[in-house]
Amino acid sequence: MKKTKTALFSVPLSKYMDRQVADRRSPVVNLLLFSLFLFSFSLSAQKTSIKDIDRRVEELLAKMTLEEKIGQLHQIPGDISTGTDVAKDDMLGQIKAGKVGSILSHTNFENKITMQRAAVGSRLGIPLVFGFDVIHGYKTIFPIPLAQAASWDMAAIEQAERIAAEEASADGQNWTFSPMVDVARDPRWGRVMEGAGEDPYLGSRVAEARIRGFQGDDLGKNNTLATCVKHYAGYGFAEGGRDYNTVDMSEQRLREIVLPPFEAAARAGSATFMNAFNTLNGVPASMNKHLVTDILRGEWGFKGLVVSDWNSFGETIVHGAAEDDTDASAKCLTAGSDMDMAGGTFQRGLKKALDSGRVTQAQIDEAVRRVLRLKFSLGLFDDPFRYLDPKRRTATLEKPEYRQVARELAAKSMVLLKNEADLLPLRSGGPFRKVTVVGPYANSKEGKDYMSFWTLGIGDVDHYDSSKVVTPAMALKPSLEAMGFEVTVTEICLDAACNEKDLSVAMKATADADLVIVCVGERGIDCGESRSVSDINLKYNQELITKIASRGNKPTVMAVFNSRPMTFSWAMENIPAILVCWQPGYEAGNALADVITGKVNPSGKLPVTFPVSVGQVPIYYNALNTGRPQQKQGQLWTSGYLDAPATPAYPFGYGLSYTTFAYSDVKLNKTKLKSGEVLEVSVTVTNTGKMAGEEVVQLYLRDLSADIARPLKELKGFEKIKLNTYENKTVTFRLTEKDLSYWNNDLKFKADPGKFKVFVGGNSRDVKEAEFELVK
Ligand code: BGC
């Protein structure tokens, strides 16, 4: 299979580039794109391949009956409870009859071969495409996506997805329902764990890294997966953080905050997109023509396939926006959506919609073309079994070196929130000898606690193996003992019923310890789809256990295993060291031990604000100032609460290291910037501590005189640098007029002349600043 990715899906070049988008780019960028465009013409192999695919698609389409066409738009779940029952609902019969285009969530390898054989044996032999939610690893389980984003390490994220794609493709999967790029500002929303946090800029960079990792440089290779960017769009803004809930927002906010990662993903060449479950300003996303046709396909020139979310075509009826299957089919297809996941709405309604003139044959053909193009570009027509080679499968799944990558990424993702008196890292020969590791997550037998809802009940029951998780105790005991510590591990059950017993166990276990490592947090299954909560505080007796463990000011390290921002205000005040571990995946314990022993110097930074209390939600760094910003809690006639501060517990971008970094003043190459010029923002960062370390240098911008109120700060760049002790490095960010532009209320993307501030620092709060002016 020749290269197909660039031309088919990575869009952009001038043919597909929307005028408006082209106009808002700087001349330099446009010149670069034009050169790329010319370069693409020189890749004749690629050109031939697209032409070849288009020709083959048309030939095939001409032979297809209406029933077969509708079949290609129909995606059905494998039996996700056992993963073995291919005979269920005569699945094989339907496949043989050409009534199924795709299978999702199926893990049984032999069954996939059986199903593919059935598809190849159908009248036209159109192969199936197998889709799967590869969310944080396929067999080797990496940290959850939110944790990965906390690494701010795009190369590491790309590498993790590369491994996930190697494994999934070797196990017969062709298409991942990932990345989820929904910006989320509400920790109550369970799916916050699946995204990259609250910021559209960071979210865009992470989306690109994930797509590069999964799709590689050529979708036609059999070790890559087609990506599916989801959930388009607005899903992260469900009212009250309640999953599937209503989303209502201005078009301005949509374009500024929600859409940038989607646009970045489309331009990075994602093969497919997925609709969201929610309504956006009243219109269910699956039948939202403005989103799918006008913006995605029109403005961004996306040529790929759009699949519904699970029965989201059918749910347009439940939303009250469609009358029946026929109406829903007509509305979703004409909005620009193509494939029906799991609901069967098209199966029941699309023919009727055609017969009644609600959709045209041409519209159906266009959707089918997109499905066929995906299959051709994956090479499935050339060899339907190219992802189903048992030898490759055995050689690829869970290679030992993948575990090492998972361990490194988990350690990079951890965020050190507090480290009074340099309690960490633990050093041999220090004041402590006896260490107790305690808490419900010290050694949980439910290994899924260190993973996520995605590793529960998806695919074969044995697809994910909890016993492969290295728990904190399993790793901390040997590594600390090797350093001369005496280590005891005390497990505590996580259940309201265990409360009384737990407290006395914790009391005894920690009584004569010199130092306590208390492992608290939430279960992996307490976060994820349909797992919204109204309280983000530590559950059950965990705060009490922490209080007991640290009684008498005993040195205590609190390791939090969490999928969302959590609140622990007592610990913030009283516990000297707090480490956010997230759900780190299979290598949880090893990564934690690496950080606690100083083998790895923590460098993670929060991709999402941690509130003081749930009542502060939504609280995010890129907010507007309001006319009455609050300086101090309780200050009347200002925007805030009487009973909570206006500032969060830990701000976006925050995270400590075992070393310290000093930032020089911010230098600009000019204080007046004209259109077409480049503003250089430089800062020198010095490692002033006693250990080598990594720092994420962050650049923020504030527009002080735009036509509308602009956020207090907006992330516009970051660079992760490594510095030895006393080493320094000058980091230079380059900003152009495009970086100063925003969507105004007339929906124009433009920069207004006037004053701006730039800020540089190691988080969104502690920054150095400088001012400049845009002159036009
Ligand atoms: C989720 C999607 C997922 C799909 C298939 C839906 O319930 O919202 O994110 O890709 O199921 O598993």
Side-chain angles (χ1 to χ4, degrees):
M1 184 71 197
K2 289 170 204 155
K3 274 197 174 190
T4 55
K5 180 201 144 212
T6 307
L8 259 182
F9 298 112
S10 78
V11 198
L13 311 178
S14 45
K15 183 174 166 202
Y16 304 134
M17 200 162 56
D18 174 74
R19 248 317 275 293
Q20 200 183 354
V21 172
D23 286 351
R24 56 174 222 254
R25 289 204 164 106
S26 74
V28 181
V29 176
N30 277 330
L31 188 69
L32 190 73
L33 278 173
F34 186 62
S35 328
L36 275 171
F37 177 63
L38 293 179
F39 176 67
S40 79
F41 270 101
S42 70
L43 298 175
S44 53
Q46 228 166 288
K47 229 176 69 183
T48 318
S49 155
I50 303 154
K51 263 183 150 176
D52 189 39
I53 286 178
D54 282 347
R55 181 184 49 76
R56 292 171 75 185
V57 165
E58 293 312 317
E59 278 171 15
L60 188 53
L61 200 61
K63 293 182 197 147
M64 291 171 78
T65 62
L66 177 63
E67 200 178 36
E68 284 163 340
K69 287 177 183 173
I70 294 175
Q72 285 306 304
L73 308 182
H74 184 46
Q75 183 182 51
I76 58 172
D79 183 349
I80 59 172
S81 57
T82 65
T84 52
D85 187 6
V86 286
K88 192 171 179 257
D89 298 331
D90 190 25
M91 195 192 267
L92 282 183
Q94 288 185 55
I95 296 171
K96 263 187 210 139
K99 288 184 181 167
V100 179
S102 173
I103 303 287
L104 83 148
S105 303
H106 199 91
T107 48
N108 185 292
F109 189 71
E110 282 72 34
N111 283 348
K112 273 180 277 188
I113 297 178
T114 309
M115 289 189 254
Q116 194 65 298
R117 276 204 196 108
V120 170
S122 64
R123 190 180 78 91
L124 293 171
I126 303 176
L128 293 165
V129 56
F130 291 96
F132 196 82
D133 290 279
V134 184
I135 306 297
H136 50 114
Y138 184 69
K139 284 297 246 185
T140 304
I141 302 302
F142 292 94
I144 57 168
L146 186 64
Q148 294 189 24
S151 74
W152 295 59
D153 187 329
M154 300 307 117
I157 294 174
E158 181 178 337
Q159 190 187 16
E161 302 303 30
R162 182 84 297 283
I163 290 171
E166 289 279 355
E167 288 190 332
S169 62
D171 197 34
Q173 312 293 3
N174 322 123
W175 183 16
T176 171
F177 303 123
S178 180
M180 183 189 104
V181 306
D182 296 304
V183 168
R185 291 170 165 177
D186 195 330
R188 293 172 299 179
W189 187 51
R191 300 197 80 168
V192 74
M193 49 88 31
E194 266 179 80
E198 75 187 36
D199 185 67
Y201 181 86
L202 177 62
S204 300
R205 303 295 79 80
V206 171
E208 291 160 353
R210 292 195 191 289
I211 291 166
R212 281 196 302 272
F214 281 128
Q215 294 197 161
D217 58 2
D218 184 354
L219 207 54
K221 288 185 183 156
N222 72 349
N223 65 349
T224 55
L225 296 178
T227 53
C228 185
V229 177
K230 67 191 190 185
H231 305 86
Y232 189 66
Y235 189 39
F237 280 73
E239 277 179 9
R242 282 207 304 282
D243 209 359
Y244 318 120
N245 205 5
T246 306
V247 179
D248 205 309
M249 67 169 66
S250 69
E251 179 85 8
Q252 199 268 335
R253 176 173 275 191
L254 179 75
R255 289 185 180 259
E256 286 276 303
I257 306 295
V258 172
L259 294 187
F262 287 101
E263 181 174 359
R267 296 194 185 286
S270 178
T272 74
F273 265 57
M274 184 187 290
N275 302 123
F277 283 125
N278 53 281
T279 53
L280 177 69
N281 303 332
V283 185
S286 301
M287 53 178 265
N288 199 312
K289 185 165 174 296
H290 179 55
L291 280 177
V292 184
T293 296
D294 302 347
I295 299 179
L296 175 62
R297 298 200 190 283
E299 292 182 30
W300 306 339
F302 178 72
K303 309 289 281 179
L305 164 76
V306 177
V307 64
S308 77
D309 201 346
W310 190 288
N311 189 34
S312 66
F313 290 170
E315 286 178 17
T316 59
I317 304 169
V318 190
H319 279 295
E323 201 176 280
D324 53 20
D325 287 332
T326 310
D327 196 22
S329 298
K331 284 173 171 159
C332 293
L333 190 82
T334 51
S337 304
D338 304 306
M339 184 184 268
D340 183 358
M341 178 193 286
T345 308
F346 275 2
Q347 279 280 305
R348 297 183 299 272
L350 199 50
K351 183 174 182 312
K352 286 186 198 147
L354 178 70
D355 292 345
S356 58
R358 299 280 313 276
V359 301
T360 63
Q361 185 61 59
Q363 283 170 322
I364 296 179
D365 286 355
E366 195 50 31
V368 177
R369 261 184 207 109
R370 294 187 189 119
V371 178
L372 297 178
R373 271 193 215 125
L374 176 69
K375 293 182 177 182
F376 273 113
S377 66
L378 286 163
L380 288 166
F381 279 97
D382 300 321
D383 176 2
F385 300 95
R386 65 201 301 264
Y387 299 82
L388 290 163
D389 172 359
K391 278 203 201 108
R392 176 160 84 100
R393 179 178 189 270
T394 313
T396 308
L397 296 188
E398 297 188 76
K399 284 189 191 162
E401 58 262 38
Y402 295 165
R403 293 286 293 229
Q404 182 56 26
V405 177
R407 177 175 181 161
E408 284 166 16
L409 184 51
K412 272 173 200 260
S413 304
M414 293 183 179
V415 184
L416 185 65
L417 294 182
K418 205 179 163 192
N419 194 22
E420 256 171 30
D422 289 341
L423 182 59
L424 291 176
L426 298 186
R427 300 166 187 90
S428 310
F432 320 115
R433 218 173 58 79
K434 289 183 183 171
V435 176
T436 292
V437 185
V438 67
Y441 301 101
N443 196 27
S444 173
K445 296 290 173 296
E446 190 47 75
K448 283 174 184 133
D449 285 344
Y450 308 100
M451 302 200 279
S452 81
F453 120 99
W454 281 111
T455 54
L456 180 87
I458 305 290
D460 282 357
V461 271
D462 65 349
H463 181 67
Y464 300 105
D465 186 349
S466 305
S467 69
K468 291 183 178 156
V469 173
V470 179
T471 68
M474 282 161 70
L476 281 172
K477 195 165 164 50
S479 51
L480 290 179
E481 281 176 351
M483 290 168 74
F485 293 99
E486 197 180 295
V487 182
T488 53
V489 175
T490 302
E491 293 170 39
I492 280 181
C493 95
L494 183 69
D495 186 337
C498 306
N499 281 350
E500 283 298 305
K501 204 175 99 234
D502 282 356
L503 296 182
S504 67
V505 169
M507 182 82 96
K508 272 199 212 114
T510 52
D512 68 341
D514 300 328
L515 178 130
V516 179
I517 300 174
V518 55
C519 301
V520 292
E522 61 183 338
R523 299 179 307 170
I525 53 159
D526 286 338
C527 207
E529 188 178 345
S530 82
R531 286 150 169 90
S532 297
V533 292
S534 63
D535 180 5
I536 55 173
N537 216 20
L538 290 176
K539 283 190 180 49
Y540 309 113
N541 256 335
Q542 297 192 55
E543 187 168 305
L544 211 52
I545 289 166
T546 314
K547 282 181 185 166
I548 288 174
S550 63
R551 67 194 177 280
N553 291 333
K554 192 179 296 261
T556 301
V557 177
M558 183 168 112
V560 191
F561 293 87
N562 55 322
S563 303
R564 52 158 61 86
M566 299 193 82
T567 51
F568 30 77
S569 48
W570 183 86
M572 268 172 72
E573 298 295 321
N574 297 287
I575 297 292
I578 303 177
L579 183 69
V580 165
C581 304
W582 313 102
Q583 306 296 356
Y586 276 178
E587 287 292 322
N590 285 328
L592 177 65
D594 289 346
V595 171
I596 290 217
T597 59
K599 197 169 152 199
V600 171
N601 187 350
S603 62
K605 302 274 187 176
L606 296 179
V608 60
T609 303
F610 271 43
V612 170
S613 63
V614 73
Q616 282 188 323
V617 172
I619 183 164
Y620 47 92
Y621 87 94
N622 49 355
L624 300 184
N625 202 26
T626 79
R628 294 184 178 201
Q630 192 173 70
Q631 306 301 334
K632 208 167 133 253
Q633 182 182 332
Q635 189 186 6
L636 291 178
W637 323 115
T638 62
S639 178
Y641 302 103
L642 290 178
D643 59 352
T647 47
Y650 299 101
F652 174 81
Y654 184 82
L656 302 172
S657 162
Y658 293 152
T659 189
T660 45
F661 298 101
Y663 281 71
S664 72
D665 285 340
V666 177
K667 274 200 206 134
L668 304 181
N669 67 337
K670 54 182 71 179
T671 50
K672 289 196 190 305
L673 180 74
K674 294 193 200 117
S675 296
E677 289 183 344
V678 175
L679 179 77
E680 289 182 1
V681 183
S682 310
V683 75
T684 302
V685 184
T686 309
N687 181 346
T688 49
K690 296 197 188 86
M691 253 182 116
E694 286 184 272
E695 170 72 330
V696 182
V697 184
Q698 302 160 41
L699 170 81
Y700 296 90
L701 182 85
R702 180 171 182 196
D703 187 340
L704 292 162
S705 53
D707 290 350
I708 61 172
R710 302 290 303 138
L712 282 164
K713 283 186 187 114
E714 287 177 280
L715 184 70
K716 290 289 173 179
F718 62 86
E719 197 178 319
K720 191 162 188 174
I721 55 170
K722 202 173 203 156
L723 291 175
N724 288 323
T725 317
Y726 302 122
E727 194 188 352
N728 67 42
K729 188 174 176 194
T730 299
V731 177
T732 302
F733 297 99
R734 288 176 181 79
L735 295 177
T736 64
E737 190 179 348
K738 183 180 169 229
D739 300 301
L740 314 185
S741 301
Y742 67 97
W743 289 96
N744 70 8
N745 281 344
D746 300 326
L747 299 185
K748 296 237 159 57
F749 188 75
K750 59 156 194 143
D752 298 326
K755 282 189 182 159
F756 288 81
K757 271 187 181 178
V758 278
F759 311 86
V760 184
N763 64 67
S764 62
R765 183 189 62 200
D766 307 312
V767 288
K768 297 269 178 103
E769 61 181 69
E771 211 170 280
F772 70 95
E773 209 177 319
L774 176 68
V775 285
K776 283 196 170 179

